[in-house]
């Protein structure tokens, strides 16, 4: 239940996308995704060894939904929801069910 609440908060913050100014990180990933869709397949896309995994995920979303501000927001949204699941499973393995349930709101909810 807390995971669903955390996912709902992430969706509420991500959409509608026109409420927020586009940031350079998401636009850079969008541009890299368009380059990947154009055939420029890379592992690192800068001299600083920044990995291209996120750009490949954006390219897959662009293939399904087209390139738009809304589709750029989908990959970080899914990654945030996956982080909630991974965090819960990790804490449950280390400390047990009760502590995992108590700690999940600290990651799931802003503030």
């Amino acid at each position: 239940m807390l995971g669903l609440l955390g996912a709902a908060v992430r969706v509420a913050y991500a959409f509608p996308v026109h409420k927020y100014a586009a940031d350079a990180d998401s636009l850079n990933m969008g541009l890299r995704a368009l380059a990947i869709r154009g055939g420029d397949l890379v592992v690192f896309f800068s001299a600083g060894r920044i990995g291209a995994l996120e750009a490949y995920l954006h390219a897959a979303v662009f293939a399904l939904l087209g390139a738009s501000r809304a589709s750029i927001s989908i990959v970080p949204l899914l990654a945030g929801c996956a982080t909630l699941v991974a965090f819960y499973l990790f804490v449950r393995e280390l400390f047990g069910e009760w502590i995992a349930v108590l700690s999940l709101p600290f990651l799931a909810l802003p503030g």
Side-chain angles (χ1 to χ4, degrees):
M1 186 66 175
L2 291 172
L4 292 175
L5 180 62
V9 167
R10 282 165 173 69
V11 169
Y13 275 114
F15 295 99
V17 293
H18 66 274
K19 287 176 54 177
Y20 308 105
D23 62 291
D25 290 335
S26 65
L27 293 178
N28 188 23
M29 283 297 144
L31 290 173
R32 294 298 175 181
L34 291 174
I36 289 169
R37 294 216 359 106
D40 184 19
L41 305 178
V42 296
V43 175
F44 300 109
F45 59 76
S46 75
R49 303 280 189 203
I50 297 173
L53 177 62
E54 184 182 357
Y56 280 96
L57 295 174
H58 281 293
V61 171
F62 285 178
L64 293 173
L65 304 175
S68 68
R69 291 275 308 275
S71 62
I72 286 177
S73 300
I74 290 173
V75 172
L77 175 67
L78 294 176
C81 293
T83 301
L84 292 175
V85 172
F87 177 78
Y88 172 77
L89 294 173
F90 177 70
V91 174
R92 187 182 72 180
E93 181 69 26
L94 289 178
F95 302 108
E97 182 82 23
W98 183 242
I99 298 298
V101 169
L102 288 176
S103 63
L104 189 59
F106 290 103
L107 183 65
L109 303 175

